[in-house]
Amino acid sequence: MKLVPQLNSTGEIEDGSYIRALDFCQRNCNKGRCKTFYNSIMSAPLSSGFLTCPYGMSVYVSALEKQIYCSMRERETYNKKLSKNIADARKLYNPVLPAEQLYTLIQASQTITVGKKKLDEKQAVVDSISHEVKKLNGQIKEHSDLAISLLKADDDVTPSPENVAKVYEELRSIFLSSSMIASRYTLFDYEKNPDVLKGTIVETSIHKTFYKLAKIFRNYRKRNIPIILSGSTFRYIDAYDSFDLIPLLLIENAVKYSYYSSDVQITFSESSSSEVDVSIESYSPYCSKEDLTRIFEKGFRGKNASKVADGNGIGLFFVKKICDIHNIGITVESDNSRITPINSVAYAPFRIMLHFTKTYNVDHT
């Protein structure tokens, strides 16, 4: 809900609920003298303040928002003589107000607009997480039914080794889906309380945490994506419970976007100075330099990634948040020298690197 009329990105006027846009303004804002007037404002360095439009109405320019509010009557800039040529079929007579009162209305309108945008963003995240949880719950049911049917196939006798092995794989899949549901609820809780990423600090093995999650991701979504671990580190760190989400989300992301049957490579290296690097490399949709600069933005998805799989653009956003509270460096690369087009999608080696310094220290604040 907007209190004051304002120009949108297409040059049209969005009406206000308190100060109403005149019919003349709505019809002509994108034409002739009005269009020239507004274009001249936006093409020059913006300076906040009230102006007089070509037809005598008051306009407020917000340099911070890069926004124009219009169709008002501010005491000092409203020109009654010029505005006589404006006929309004609805007989609207907006009050002539001092700048302070109109500015207060504009600020209130800005607050409402920003608040609604944040609420819409949160709702979009909640809806997306809810959809994913339903899908994961369906996978748990599917794997459970299959495990039960495998055991029943042995007619109440000791299960055959072959069926035991199959049941074990189904249980592994159930555990993975359950872990992923738990991660979604953590992301959901973050929307209400960012401190949910903190909590109890425990001594954690970097290598074992990645190894455990890489193991249960085997045959995830039956995509036949081998996960290969190389190198090692014996480094332990003090970490919050949320640290487990880093390998979970990164491996899930790598498997989800990897080209069918290509490897996901997880490499560990530890220097003589006890600094540790972990890289997760996959053959995934190419990310341009522009995409890479935004890859940790909440809700952002790369152009090519959007062609390959559904997503909400919050996985890497949360990985970055968790890395920040653990003081872990994170960088991303997409190799533009090895791009291969496959089914109208550009693929290339995609690498995420984590860096643990010798003086690593979890953020206790």
Side-chain angles (χ1 to χ4, degrees):
M1 180 182 70
K2 296 172 176 61
L3 300 178
V4 181
Q6 65 184 61
L7 256 64
N8 62 23
S9 58
T10 64
E12 303 294 332
I13 291 179
E14 295 181 12
D15 204 358
S17 59
Y18 184 76
I19 302 293
R20 304 299 302 277
L22 302 184
D23 287 339
F24 179 89
C25 296
Q26 291 184 315
R27 290 195 310 269
N28 294 279
C29 61
N30 224 347
K31 302 175 185 176
R33 294 168 64 190
C34 293
K35 183 176 181 179
T36 301
F37 171 71
Y38 291 127
N39 285 346
S40 68
I41 293 174
M42 297 306 293
S43 62
L46 293 180
S47 178
S48 296
F50 285 95
L51 302 171
T52 305
C53 83
Y55 294 94
M57 301 301 290
S58 299
V59 168
Y60 181 79
V61 180
S62 172
L64 182 62
E65 280 191 308
K66 296 183 179 179
Q67 181 65 60
I68 296 175
Y69 298 87
C70 54
S71 207
M72 298 178 289
R73 302 183 188 198
E74 187 270 322
R75 187 169 291 165
E76 299 298 324
T77 53
Y78 168 55
N79 189 316
K80 188 175 181 179
K81 184 177 180 179
L82 282 176
S83 68
K84 283 183 178 180
N85 297 321
I86 299 177
D88 191 270
R90 293 177 296 168
K91 302 298 181 184
L92 288 178
Y93 297 100
N94 290 327
V96 179
L97 297 174
E100 295 79 6
Q101 290 185 24
L102 282 172
Y103 183 62
T104 299
L105 282 172
I106 290 168
Q107 283 186 309
S109 187
Q110 291 171 348
T111 301
I112 292 170
T113 301
V114 171
K116 185 179 183 304
K117 182 180 178 182
K118 289 182 178 179
L119 187 62
D120 289 344
E121 288 175 351
K122 287 180 181 291
Q123 188 60 53
V125 171
V126 169
D127 290 345
S128 179
I129 290 173
S130 176
H131 177 67
E132 288 190 14
V133 167
K134 287 178 182 177
K135 285 203 307 184
L136 291 167
N137 187 62
Q139 290 174 19
I140 289 177
K141 185 178 183 300
E142 179 184 340
H143 292 302
S144 299
D145 287 345
L146 185 53
I148 292 169
S149 66
L150 286 168
L151 292 175
K152 283 184 176 179
D154 291 304
D155 296 324
D156 297 324
V157 299
T158 303
S160 66
E162 180 184 356
N163 278 357
V164 168
K166 290 180 179 178
V167 169
Y168 178 73
E169 288 303 317
E170 297 307 317
L171 291 175
R172 187 198 298 273
S173 296
I174 290 170
F175 178 77
L176 175 59
S177 294
S178 176
S179 299
M180 292 170 69
I181 286 176
S183 76
R184 268 47 178 189
Y185 277 117
T186 299
L187 305 186
F188 176 82
D189 289 340
Y190 177 87
E191 292 300 313
K192 298 182 294 183
N193 176 25
D195 285 338
V196 73
L197 298 181
K198 299 181 180 181
T200 306
I201 296 176
V202 295
E203 190 177 50
T204 303
S205 166
I206 298 173
H207 187 274
K208 286 182 179 178
T209 304
F210 273 87
Y211 178 81
K212 175 184 71 176
L213 288 162
K215 195 173 180 181
I216 65 174
F217 261 99
R218 185 171 61 186
N219 205 29
Y220 172 56
R221 293 188 178 182
K222 304 189 182 301
R223 296 203 62 230
N224 193 27
I225 305 292
I227 301 174
I228 301 171
L229 287 83
S230 60
S232 63
T233 176
F234 298 101
R235 179 85 176 273
Y236 279 76
I237 60 171
D238 289 335
Y240 294 115
D241 293 337
S242 62
F243 177 79
D244 284 2
L245 287 174
I246 295 178
L248 176 66
L249 293 171
L250 289 182
I251 296 173
E252 178 191 357
N253 202 63
V255 173
K256 177 180 177 180
Y257 290 104
S258 286
Y259 184 67
Y260 187 76
S261 295
S262 61
D263 295 346
V264 171
Q265 298 275 352
I266 302 176
T267 307
F268 302 87
S269 60
E270 184 170 354
S271 69
S272 57
S273 61
S274 297
E275 295 196 346
V276 175
D277 291 297
V278 182
S279 73
I280 302 93
E281 183 172 339
S282 57
Y283 197 66
S284 301
Y286 171 68
C287 278
S288 65
K289 289 183 178 179
E290 182 182 354
D291 283 352
L292 289 177
T293 62
R294 301 186 59 198
I295 202 162
F296 296 121
E297 287 183 17
K298 187 177 183 180
F300 177 78
R301 302 188 70 217
K303 178 181 176 182
N304 286 308
S306 300
K307 298 176 183 178
V308 173
D310 294 334
N312 48 35
I314 61 174
L316 291 181
F317 166 79
F318 279 106
V319 168
K320 181 66 166 64
K321 291 293 182 184
I322 298 168
C323 284
D324 286 347
I325 65 172
H326 286 88
N327 291 306
I328 300 168
I330 180 168
T331 54
V332 185
E333 295 177 355
S334 190
D335 191 348
N336 61 6
S337 67
R338 296 167 61 190
I339 298 175
T340 303
I342 304 174
N343 297 327
S344 302
V345 178
Y347 281 83
F350 181 82
R351 184 184 301 111
I352 294 182
M353 292 150 290
L354 305 175
H355 181 67
F356 300 79
T357 64
K358 181 180 180 180
T359 56
Y360 163 90
N361 183 34
V362 67
D363 182 3
H364 293 267
T365 58

